[in-house]
Amino acid sequence: MDTLAPYIPDYAFEGEPATGSTMRVAPGVHWLRMPLPFALNHINLWLLEDGDGWTVVDTGICNDTTKEAWEQIFASSLGGKPVTRAVVTHFHPDHAGLAGWFVERWGAEVWMPALEWSFGRMLSLDDGKLSREPFEAFYRAAGFDEELMAEVPSRLGRYPQAVAPYPPTIRRIEDGDSFDVGGNSWRMVVGRGHAPEHACLYCESLGLLISGDQVLPKISPNVSVWPQEPNADPLALFLSSIKRIKMKVPDDVLVLPSHNWPFHGLHARIDDLVAHHDERLSATLEYCREPATGVEVLKRLFTRKLDNHQLFFAIGESLAHLHHLMTEGKVARSRGEDGVDRYTVI
């Protein structure tokens, strides 16, 4: 593979909307930004004019700060029209967190992929009691020592704390489905790997792609193995789906991502993401010349200091690369008497 020039995002705007306000990015399409209580401290959401009402795309995490910011937008930006529909790209709490609140607040109908809804609804009902044993086994197998194992209980039952009561019903959207918003047709293009059935939304007439977390301009979306599916190969799903997006969506769209800023250059960014993971896979393979645990690979892939939140994403990503190498027949996994998995080049 030829070496690619360093990717430089071609951002479409200078600056971003202040919390509680909106910025027009295309006819009938408005950008808003909500704070997040993580190192990645914001999420972009989208407000679409929809005839006698409004459609929102993604909702933000469930907390008072986000609700207050939405109330400011309701008072200043809706022109007296209601929110009639909430489209949710995927189940992660910064995207789906207030979906149920929009149902309660406006009577809005929630549109989202069924697999995302079912996964989110399942997690919203999980208090962590039944999950503790498989979670602990998963992270112990990844090579967590006692100090790291002490952090595992903090990850149990977290999802219900970040979402409003989950909507009991939805309108399902699937790959290839098209629906009208304000006279413009939007088509779902599925993404996988970051989430089970991530909805990217392409509008040909406006030249827009709402990419959610599937394609971001500056950071690589998290692609992780999680305890709920301990033998998964999410990286295979991610790589195949972004290559498919490149085939299905033209390069000249304006990409509206969930983090950072709207940008041009979709195809170059997809090529860059593929190259990034190729490099990570090559590095991971080298780290397995001698038997290595997931944590040992993590420490070599992620050399910066990680907080608790980042640590669990990093081990998930490290395992994703190891599992993909197993799928490719390049690495074998064996479990020792200590219950820890070690990965070795075949």
Side-chain angles (χ1 to χ4, degrees):
M1 175 175 186
D2 293 337
T3 302
L4 296 174
Y7 176 79
I8 301 175
D10 180 12
Y11 293 126
F13 303 96
E14 293 184 3
E16 65 275 335
T19 300
S21 66
T22 65
M23 179 185 294
R24 180 183 179 275
V25 296
V29 180
H30 307 268
W31 171 23
L32 51 140
R33 187 173 264 210
M34 297 293 184
L36 292 175
F38 316 126
L40 185 58
N41 62 7
H42 70 275
I43 181 171
N44 300 322
L45 311 174
W46 312 98
L47 187 62
L48 312 181
E49 297 180 32
D50 195 9
D52 294 333
W54 294 88
T55 288
V56 301
V57 180
D58 288 336
T59 66
I61 201 165
C62 181
N63 59 30
D64 290 341
T65 300
T66 308
K67 289 180 182 178
E68 290 168 5
W70 269 119
E71 291 293 350
Q72 293 177 43
I73 289 169
F74 297 158
S76 63
S77 301
L78 300 191
K81 297 188 295 185
V83 176
T84 57
R85 171 168 47 190
V87 179
V88 177
T89 60
H90 60 295
F91 78 92
H92 294 166
D94 50 335
H95 298 260
L98 286 177
W101 181 71
F102 271 91
V103 175
E104 177 186 353
R105 176 70 172 76
W106 289 104
E109 187 175 37
V110 176
W111 293 41
M112 65 187 298
L115 191 54
E116 298 295 330
W117 174 77
S118 58
F119 210 95
R121 185 160 171 81
M122 175 271 293
L123 288 176
S124 75
L125 301 173
D126 183 3
D127 63 6
K129 293 178 182 177
L130 294 177
S131 303
R132 181 162 187 156
E133 186 175 339
F135 267 57
E136 289 180 341
F138 176 82
Y139 289 111
R140 187 173 291 109
F144 274 33
D145 60 18
E146 292 308 310
E147 182 180 357
L148 291 177
M149 286 300 299
E151 301 293 335
V152 173
S154 70
R155 309 303 297 178
L156 299 171
R158 290 171 60 90
Y159 190 83
Q161 303 170 26
V163 298
Y166 229 71
T169 62
I170 60 162
R171 175 79 68 91
R172 177 191 298 206
I173 54 174
E174 296 181 303
D175 185 42
D177 283 354
S178 295
F179 55 94
D180 181 90
V181 183
N184 293 299
S185 178
W186 292 79
R187 175 165 56 87
M188 177 179 159
V189 183
V190 72
R192 302 191 191 279
H194 175 72
E197 194 182 4
H198 186 299
C200 301
L201 304 174
Y202 169 50
C203 181
E204 181 178 9
S205 59
L206 294 174
L208 298 177
L209 175 70
I210 297 178
S211 64
D213 282 346
Q214 193 71 22
V215 183
L216 302 172
K218 190 175 179 180
I219 58 176
S220 176
N222 178 257
V223 179
S224 280
V225 178
W226 296 106
Q228 293 90 346
E229 195 178 359
N231 293 302
D233 181 3
L235 187 54
L237 297 172
F238 179 77
L239 292 172
S240 64
S241 68
I242 61 172
K243 292 173 184 177
R244 183 172 177 271
I245 290 170
K246 183 179 176 181
M247 295 174 58
K248 294 288 185 178
V249 181
D251 189 40
D252 61 357
V253 294
L254 173 62
V255 184
L256 306 181
S258 292
H259 306 286
N260 306 123
W261 299 272
F263 69 100
H264 295 284
L266 172 67
H267 290 185
R269 179 54 175 152
I270 288 174
D271 290 343
D272 186 63
L273 287 168
V274 173
H276 164 77
H277 284 291
D278 284 345
E279 291 171 2
R280 300 292 258 187
L281 287 166
S282 294
T284 302
L285 188 64
E286 286 300 313
Y287 302 152
C288 295
R289 294 294 174 191
E290 299 292 333
T293 69
V295 167
E296 287 168 345
V297 170
L298 177 158
K299 289 178 179 178
R300 300 187 72 177
L301 286 177
F302 298 88
T303 56
R304 69 185 187 278
K305 184 175 176 58
L306 302 173
D307 62 25
N308 180 284
H309 182 75
Q310 294 166 331
L311 169 70
F312 284 88
F313 282 91
I315 188 61
E317 287 201 19
S318 301
L319 292 172
H321 288 83
L322 288 163
H323 285 200
H324 192 61
L325 290 171
M326 286 198 301
T327 298
E328 292 183 328
K330 296 177 179 178
V331 161
R333 178 178 64 188
S334 61
R335 180 161 297 179
E337 294 182 0
D338 57 1
V340 177
D341 290 332
R342 290 173 176 83
Y343 300 81
T344 311
V345 171
I346 295 175

PDB file of all heavy atoms in Angstrom, residues 278-298:
ATOM      1  N   ASP A 278      -4.505  -0.090   9.501  1.00  0.00           N
ATOM      2  CA  ASP A 278      -3.454  -0.956   8.954  1.00  0.00           C
ATOM      3  C   ASP A 278      -2.152  -0.793   9.741  1.00  0.00           C
ATOM      4  O   ASP A 278      -1.465  -1.778  10.054  1.00  0.00           O
ATOM      5  CB  ASP A 278      -3.207  -0.627   7.480  1.00  0.00           C
ATOM      6  CG  ASP A 278      -4.288  -1.167   6.556  1.00  0.00           C
ATOM      7  OD1 ASP A 278      -5.071  -2.036   7.007  1.00  0.00           O
ATOM      8  OD2 ASP A 278      -4.351  -0.728   5.393  1.00  0.00           O
ATOM      9  N   GLU A 279      -1.823   0.450  10.067  1.00  0.00           N
ATOM     10  CA  GLU A 279      -0.615   0.710  10.846  1.00  0.00           C
ATOM     11  C   GLU A 279      -0.726   0.119  12.250  1.00  0.00           C
ATOM     12  O   GLU A 279       0.245  -0.472  12.760  1.00  0.00           O
ATOM     13  CB  GLU A 279      -0.369   2.215  10.928  1.00  0.00           C
ATOM     14  CG  GLU A 279       0.034   2.855   9.601  1.00  0.00           C
ATOM     15  CD  GLU A 279       0.059   4.367   9.669  1.00  0.00           C
ATOM     16  OE1 GLU A 279      -0.204   4.920  10.756  1.00  0.00           O
ATOM     17  OE2 GLU A 279       0.337   4.999   8.627  1.00  0.00           O
ATOM     18  N   ARG A 280      -1.888   0.266  12.872  1.00  0.00           N
ATOM     19  CA  ARG A 280      -2.087  -0.286  14.219  1.00  0.00           C
ATOM     20  C   ARG A 280      -2.028  -1.812  14.202  1.00  0.00           C
ATOM     21  O   ARG A 280      -1.496  -2.438  15.137  1.00  0.00           O
ATOM     22  CB  ARG A 280      -3.419   0.174  14.789  1.00  0.00           C
ATOM     23  CG  ARG A 280      -3.590   1.669  14.940  1.00  0.00           C
ATOM     24  CD  ARG A 280      -2.688   2.234  16.002  1.00  0.00           C
ATOM     25  NE  ARG A 280      -3.395   2.493  17.240  1.00  0.00           N
ATOM     26  CZ  ARG A 280      -2.878   3.110  18.288  1.00  0.00           C
ATOM     27  NH1 ARG A 280      -1.630   3.571  18.225  1.00  0.00           N
ATOM     28  NH2 ARG A 280      -3.559   3.302  19.385  1.00  0.00           N
ATOM     29  N   LEU A 281      -2.567  -2.416  13.157  1.00  0.00           N
ATOM     30  CA  LEU A 281      -2.506  -3.873  13.045  1.00  0.00           C
ATOM     31  C   LEU A 281      -1.062  -4.352  12.880  1.00  0.00           C
ATOM     32  O   LEU A 281      -0.655  -5.346  13.492  1.00  0.00           O
ATOM     33  CB  LEU A 281      -3.366  -4.341  11.871  1.00  0.00           C
ATOM     34  CG  LEU A 281      -4.875  -4.255  12.093  1.00  0.00           C
ATOM     35  CD1 LEU A 281      -5.625  -4.403  10.771  1.00  0.00           C
ATOM     36  CD2 LEU A 281      -5.348  -5.328  13.085  1.00  0.00           C
ATOM     37  N   SER A 282      -0.293  -3.637  12.062  1.00  0.00           N
ATOM     38  CA  SER A 282       1.116  -4.009  11.870  1.00  0.00           C
ATOM     39  C   SER A 282       1.881  -3.887  13.176  1.00  0.00           C
ATOM     40  O   SER A 282       2.697  -4.763  13.522  1.00  0.00           O
ATOM     41  CB  SER A 282       1.750  -3.122  10.802  1.00  0.00           C
ATOM     42  OG  SER A 282       1.167  -3.354   9.539  1.00  0.00           O
ATOM     43  N   ALA A 283       1.631  -2.803  13.910  1.00  0.00           N
ATOM     44  CA  ALA A 283       2.304  -2.619  15.195  1.00  0.00           C
ATOM     45  C   ALA A 283       1.901  -3.702  16.185  1.00  0.00           C
ATOM     46  O   ALA A 283       2.743  -4.274  16.893  1.00  0.00           O
ATOM     47  CB  ALA A 283       1.993  -1.237  15.753  1.00  0.00           C
ATOM     48  N   THR A 284       0.608  -4.000  16.243  1.00  0.00           N
ATOM     49  CA  THR A 284       0.116  -5.025  17.165  1.00  0.00           C
ATOM     50  C   THR A 284       0.740  -6.373  16.853  1.00  0.00           C
ATOM     51  O   THR A 284       1.106  -7.136  17.765  1.00  0.00           O
ATOM     52  CB  THR A 284      -1.420  -5.106  17.094  1.00  0.00           C
ATOM     53  OG1 THR A 284      -1.979  -3.827  17.415  1.00  0.00           O
ATOM     54  CG2 THR A 284      -1.961  -6.137  18.067  1.00  0.00           C
ATOM     55  N   LEU A 285       0.861  -6.693  15.573  1.00  0.00           N
ATOM     56  CA  LEU A 285       1.483  -7.956  15.179  1.00  0.00           C
ATOM     57  C   LEU A 285       2.915  -8.032  15.694  1.00  0.00           C
ATOM     58  O   LEU A 285       3.360  -9.079  16.205  1.00  0.00           O
ATOM     59  CB  LEU A 285       1.441  -8.090  13.664  1.00  0.00           C
ATOM     60  CG  LEU A 285       1.869  -9.432  13.076  1.00  0.00           C
ATOM     61  CD1 LEU A 285       0.920 -10.541  13.526  1.00  0.00           C
ATOM     62  CD2 LEU A 285       1.917  -9.360  11.551  1.00  0.00           C
ATOM     63  N   GLU A 286       3.640  -6.935  15.589  1.00  0.00           N
ATOM     64  CA  GLU A 286       5.014  -6.918  16.082  1.00  0.00           C
ATOM     65  C   GLU A 286       5.068  -7.136  17.588  1.00  0.00           C
ATOM     66  O   GLU A 286       5.970  -7.802  18.100  1.00  0.00           O
ATOM     67  CB  GLU A 286       5.690  -5.589  15.722  1.00  0.00           C
ATOM     68  CG  GLU A 286       6.067  -5.473  14.259  1.00  0.00           C
ATOM     69  CD  GLU A 286       7.033  -6.564  13.822  1.00  0.00           C
ATOM     70  OE1 GLU A 286       8.037  -6.801  14.543  1.00  0.00           O
ATOM     71  OE2 GLU A 286       6.778  -7.194  12.782  1.00  0.00           O
ATOM     72  N   TYR A 287       4.095  -6.569  18.306  1.00  0.00           N
ATOM     73  CA  TYR A 287       4.080  -6.704  19.758  1.00  0.00           C
ATOM     74  C   TYR A 287       3.806  -8.135  20.188  1.00  0.00           C
ATOM     75  O   TYR A 287       4.019  -8.489  21.361  1.00  0.00           O
ATOM     76  CB  TYR A 287       3.032  -5.781  20.372  1.00  0.00           C
ATOM     77  CG  TYR A 287       3.210  -4.315  20.045  1.00  0.00           C
ATOM     78  CD1 TYR A 287       2.117  -3.454  20.011  1.00  0.00           C
ATOM     79  CD2 TYR A 287       4.468  -3.784  19.768  1.00  0.00           C
ATOM     80  CE1 TYR A 287       2.271  -2.101  19.702  1.00  0.00           C
ATOM     81  CE2 TYR A 287       4.631  -2.440  19.456  1.00  0.00           C
ATOM     82  CZ  TYR A 287       3.523  -1.612  19.420  1.00  0.00           C
ATOM     83  OH  TYR A 287       3.668  -0.276  19.112  1.00  0.00           O
ATOM     84  N   CYS A 288       3.307  -8.969  19.261  1.00  0.00           N
ATOM     85  CA  CYS A 288       2.976 -10.358  19.589  1.00  0.00           C
ATOM     86  C   CYS A 288       4.062 -11.328  19.134  1.00  0.00           C
ATOM     87  O   CYS A 288       3.835 -12.540  19.082  1.00  0.00           O
ATOM     88  CB  CYS A 288       1.636 -10.740  18.963  1.00  0.00           C
ATOM     89  SG  CYS A 288       0.230  -9.822  19.624  1.00  0.00           S
ATOM     90  N   ARG A 289       5.239 -10.818  18.776  1.00  0.00           N
ATOM     91  CA  ARG A 289       6.342 -11.717  18.435  1.00  0.00           C
ATOM     92  C   ARG A 289       6.696 -12.593  19.639  1.00  0.00           C
ATOM     93  O   ARG A 289       7.127 -13.733  19.501  1.00  0.00           O
ATOM     94  CB  ARG A 289       7.575 -10.919  17.995  1.00  0.00           C
ATOM     95  CG  ARG A 289       7.394 -10.150  16.705  1.00  0.00           C
ATOM     96  CD  ARG A 289       7.198 -11.060  15.515  1.00  0.00           C
ATOM     97  NE  ARG A 289       6.889 -10.313  14.292  1.00  0.00           N
ATOM     98  CZ  ARG A 289       6.481 -10.876  13.173  1.00  0.00           C
ATOM     99  NH1 ARG A 289       6.323 -12.198  13.117  1.00  0.00           N
ATOM    100  NH2 ARG A 289       6.226 -10.141  12.109  1.00  0.00           N
ATOM    101  N   GLU A 290       6.507 -12.038  20.825  1.00  0.00           N
ATOM    102  CA  GLU A 290       6.545 -12.796  22.065  1.00  0.00           C
ATOM    103  C   GLU A 290       5.148 -12.764  22.663  1.00  0.00           C
ATOM    104  O   GLU A 290       4.412 -11.785  22.463  1.00  0.00           O
ATOM    105  CB  GLU A 290       7.555 -12.205  23.054  1.00  0.00           C
ATOM    106  CG  GLU A 290       8.988 -12.192  22.554  1.00  0.00           C
ATOM    107  CD  GLU A 290       9.558 -13.595  22.426  1.00  0.00           C
ATOM    108  OE1 GLU A 290       9.101 -14.497  23.163  1.00  0.00           O
ATOM    109  OE2 GLU A 290      10.464 -13.789  21.587  1.00  0.00           O
ATOM    110  N   PRO A 291       4.717 -13.798  23.388  1.00  0.00           N
ATOM    111  CA  PRO A 291       3.358 -13.815  23.930  1.00  0.00           C
ATOM    112  C   PRO A 291       3.039 -12.535  24.700  1.00  0.00           C
ATOM    113  O   PRO A 291       3.829 -12.094  25.547  1.00  0.00           O
ATOM    114  CB  PRO A 291       3.358 -15.041  24.841  1.00  0.00           C
ATOM    115  CG  PRO A 291       4.401 -15.942  24.250  1.00  0.00           C
ATOM    116  CD  PRO A 291       5.465 -15.021  23.733  1.00  0.00           C
ATOM    117  N   ALA A 292       1.908 -11.927  24.378  1.00  0.00           N
ATOM    118  CA  ALA A 292       1.541 -10.644  24.976  1.00  0.00           C
ATOM    119  C   ALA A 292       0.079 -10.666  25.402  1.00  0.00           C
ATOM    120  O   ALA A 292      -0.774 -11.223  24.699  1.00  0.00           O
ATOM    121  CB  ALA A 292       1.777  -9.507  23.986  1.00  0.00           C
ATOM    122  N   THR A 293      -0.210 -10.057  26.528  1.00  0.00           N
ATOM    123  CA  THR A 293      -1.591  -9.910  26.983  1.00  0.00           C
ATOM    124  C   THR A 293      -2.211  -8.672  26.343  1.00  0.00           C
ATOM    125  O   THR A 293      -1.517  -7.819  25.773  1.00  0.00           O
ATOM    126  CB  THR A 293      -1.654  -9.766  28.512  1.00  0.00           C
ATOM    127  OG1 THR A 293      -1.081  -8.489  28.878  1.00  0.00           O
ATOM    128  CG2 THR A 293      -0.890 -10.883  29.201  1.00  0.00           C
ATOM    129  N   GLY A 294      -3.518  -8.560  26.488  1.00  0.00           N
ATOM    130  CA  GLY A 294      -4.188  -7.366  25.993  1.00  0.00           C
ATOM    131  C   GLY A 294      -3.654  -6.106  26.637  1.00  0.00           C
ATOM    132  O   GLY A 294      -3.445  -5.086  25.971  1.00  0.00           O
ATOM    133  N   VAL A 295      -3.401  -6.142  27.940  1.00  0.00           N
ATOM    134  CA  VAL A 295      -2.895  -4.963  28.640  1.00  0.00           C
ATOM    135  C   VAL A 295      -1.492  -4.618  28.165  1.00  0.00           C
ATOM    136  O   VAL A 295      -1.152  -3.435  28.000  1.00  0.00           O
ATOM    137  CB  VAL A 295      -2.930  -5.184  30.168  1.00  0.00           C
ATOM    138  CG1 VAL A 295      -2.131  -4.111  30.901  1.00  0.00           C
ATOM    139  CG2 VAL A 295      -4.371  -5.177  30.666  1.00  0.00           C
ATOM    140  N   GLU A 296      -0.665  -5.632  27.918  1.00  0.00           N
ATOM    141  CA  GLU A 296       0.691  -5.358  27.427  1.00  0.00           C
ATOM    142  C   GLU A 296       0.661  -4.702  26.051  1.00  0.00           C
ATOM    143  O   GLU A 296       1.444  -3.786  25.766  1.00  0.00           O
ATOM    144  CB  GLU A 296       1.490  -6.662  27.394  1.00  0.00           C
ATOM    145  CG  GLU A 296       1.874  -7.136  28.795  1.00  0.00           C
ATOM    146  CD  GLU A 296       2.415  -8.562  28.817  1.00  0.00           C
ATOM    147  OE1 GLU A 296       2.228  -9.292  27.817  1.00  0.00           O
ATOM    148  OE2 GLU A 296       3.002  -8.951  29.848  1.00  0.00           O
ATOM    149  N   VAL A 297      -0.268  -5.122  25.207  1.00  0.00           N
ATOM    150  CA  VAL A 297      -0.423  -4.471  23.907  1.00  0.00           C
ATOM    151  C   VAL A 297      -0.956  -3.059  24.093  1.00  0.00           C
ATOM    152  O   VAL A 297      -0.484  -2.107  23.446  1.00  0.00           O
ATOM    153  CB  VAL A 297      -1.355  -5.298  23.001  1.00  0.00           C
ATOM    154  CG1 VAL A 297      -1.726  -4.524  21.733  1.00  0.00           C
ATOM    155  CG2 VAL A 297      -0.691  -6.622  22.638  1.00  0.00           C
ATOM    156  N   LEU A 298      -1.908  -2.883  24.981  1.00  0.00           N
ATOM    157  CA  LEU A 298      -2.459  -1.541  25.257  1.00  0.00           C
ATOM    158  C   LEU A 298      -1.338  -0.569  25.623  1.00  0.00           C
ATOM    159  O   LEU A 298      -1.301   0.559  25.114  1.00  0.00           O
ATOM    160  CB  LEU A 298      -3.481  -1.648  26.396  1.00  0.00           C
ATOM    161  CG  LEU A 298      -4.149  -0.376  26.927  1.00  0.00           C
ATOM    162  CD1 LEU A 298      -5.458  -0.729  27.620  1.00  0.00           C
ATOM    163  CD2 LEU A 298      -3.284   0.398  27.922  1.00  0.00           C
TER     164      LEU A 298
END
